[in-house]
Amino acid sequence: MKQFSTLLTDLTDGILLITINREDKLNALNKTVISELDEVIDELYKDPEIKGAIITGKGPKAFVAGADITEFKGLNEEGGKALARRGHEVFNKIEMSPKPIIAAVNGFALGGGCELAMACHLRIASENAKFGQPEVKLGIIPGYGGTQRLTQLIGKGKALELLMTADTIDAVCAEKLGLVNDVVQTVELLEISRAMISKITSMAPIAIAEVIQSVYAHFKDGIDGFDTETELFGKCVATADFVEGTNAFLEKRKANFKGQ
Ligand code: COA
């Protein structure tokens, strides 16, 4: 894997750990981070050695404290739209990844940081994690999908409350709202995230990819998610892994999935 200037990567046992590495700026998302995330997610799509990924932030304080506010200076309307479009492109790529991606949220997940965590398939938070969409304090709205994904995850009422008050909530509150899947001790965050992603990647890879596609079909305009499910169920039944999974059950042994 190539060296990145704002990301650290480590591939162990098929799990790619992606660490956003701008600790002195609380891992704020500047243009380079967004481009490098784009590149590393392309690698994840392409590289058969990579089965899934964890995204986290460097240091004890922040996952990501938002988009890099220094890059907002002098932005005009067209520039603003381009910034949002680029964020959507990269975060949609994360969301629609056929391989599972977990956000291990190790501190502040504000603005673009909360949006990045929400673009991942699952979120595990350390006890010190803090979530919020404070954009209205800056005179803007979230531009990396926050108005949509927050509403999908926690519902309209609470989403509007967080988006309009700019309140920051702690990990326990985020779990209560359904914004995170689990809250764990800070020292265990990576270990538990790894265990979760390893459990998922031990399942049939095509079935995992189709679960992701089928669930997200629910949120696509003009698409009947039940039709998508029917199509993808049929596709899974036609795989060798389906034969292997059912045979393994009947023969009382562990399945050996090949992703075929
Ligand atoms: N963009 C650019 N730089 C950021 C940043 C962001 N979103 N968030 C933090 N930083 C930088 C700070 O400017 C500071 O840099 P400096 O040392 O060169 O001055 C450094 O990271 C440390 O942040 P600091 O504010 O000193 O830490 P803190 O512990 O006092 O406060 C936060 C932490 C997260 C509450 C505070 O940094 C903050 O409010 N950040 C912005 C959050 C935000 O509005 N995000 C949404 C953006 S759309």
Side-chain angles (χ1 to χ4, degrees):
M1 169 113 13
K2 72 168 263 194
Q3 295 281 308
F4 295 99
S5 63
T6 62
L7 304 177
L8 301 172
T9 57
D10 168 73
L11 181 61
T12 303
D13 298 333
I15 306 303
L16 182 65
L17 177 65
I18 303 164
T19 306
I20 298 170
N21 188 25
R22 297 187 75 212
E23 188 176 352
D24 58 331
K25 299 293 174 193
L26 303 187
N27 304 317
L29 302 174
N30 61 11
K31 282 187 187 139
T32 310
V33 180
I34 293 289
S35 285
E36 292 192 337
L37 276 173
D38 193 16
E39 276 184 69
V40 82
I41 299 301
D42 279 342
E43 279 301 311
L44 167 103
Y45 273 60
K46 280 191 295 200
D47 187 342
E49 297 294 312
I50 304 175
K51 297 185 198 147
I54 298 170
I55 301 181
T56 194
K58 186 83 166 63
K61 202 167 157 185
F63 173 69
V64 167
D68 191 319
I69 298 169
T70 61
E71 290 185 349
F72 287 175
K73 254 183 122 108
L75 211 55
N76 60 16
E77 185 170 345
E78 276 318 303
K81 285 185 192 168
L83 188 102
R85 258 187 235 113
R86 176 75 176 131
H88 289 167
E89 181 190 9
V90 177
F91 285 16
N92 288 345
K93 196 181 277 184
I94 292 173
E95 182 171 75
M96 292 318 296
S97 158
K99 299 176 185 175
I101 304 178
I102 288 184
V105 182
N106 55 310
F108 288 111
L110 301 177
C114 189
E115 292 172 296
L116 174 62
M118 292 192 292
C120 296
H121 301 124
L122 302 176
R123 286 149 293 286
I124 301 185
S126 59
E127 290 165 317
N128 68 327
K130 298 242 184 316
F131 297 82
Q133 297 286 168
E135 286 84 351
V136 291
K137 279 192 191 169
L138 301 172
I140 49 174
I141 66 170
Y144 290 169
T147 61
Q148 304 306 295
R149 293 195 178 96
L150 189 64
T151 309
Q152 291 167 0
L153 275 168
I154 70 172
K156 185 169 68 173
K158 277 290 172 186
L160 278 169
E161 181 183 329
L162 289 183
L163 292 164
M164 295 196 297
T165 60
D167 279 349
T168 297
I169 56 170
D170 65 18
V172 172
C173 180
E175 188 185 21
K176 242 188 257 164
L177 291 175
L179 180 53
V180 301
N181 297 79
D182 208 356
V183 182
V184 302
Q185 287 183 15
T186 305
V187 288
E188 292 180 337
L189 178 65
L190 283 184
E191 192 188 326
I192 291 176
S193 302
R194 239 176 226 291
M196 172 81 93
I197 199 112
S198 299
K199 186 184 209 175
I200 296 168
T201 55
S202 74
M203 307 295 162
I206 294 172
I208 293 297
E210 305 312 16
V211 162
I212 293 168
Q213 264 216 52
S214 197
V215 168
Y216 287 118
H218 175 78
F219 301 105
K220 288 202 179 130
D221 276 346
I223 292 207
D224 182 334
F226 288 96
D227 287 344
T228 304
E229 186 182 274
T230 304
E231 281 301 309
L232 297 178
F233 181 83
K235 204 174 147 196
C236 287
V237 166
T239 63
D241 279 352
F242 167 67
V243 177
E244 167 62 9
T246 44
N247 282 345
F249 176 80
L250 297 171
E251 292 160 16
K252 300 190 188 304
R253 61 174 173 82
K254 195 170 175 293
N256 177 20
F257 293 121
K258 299 221 159 44
Q260 290 162 359

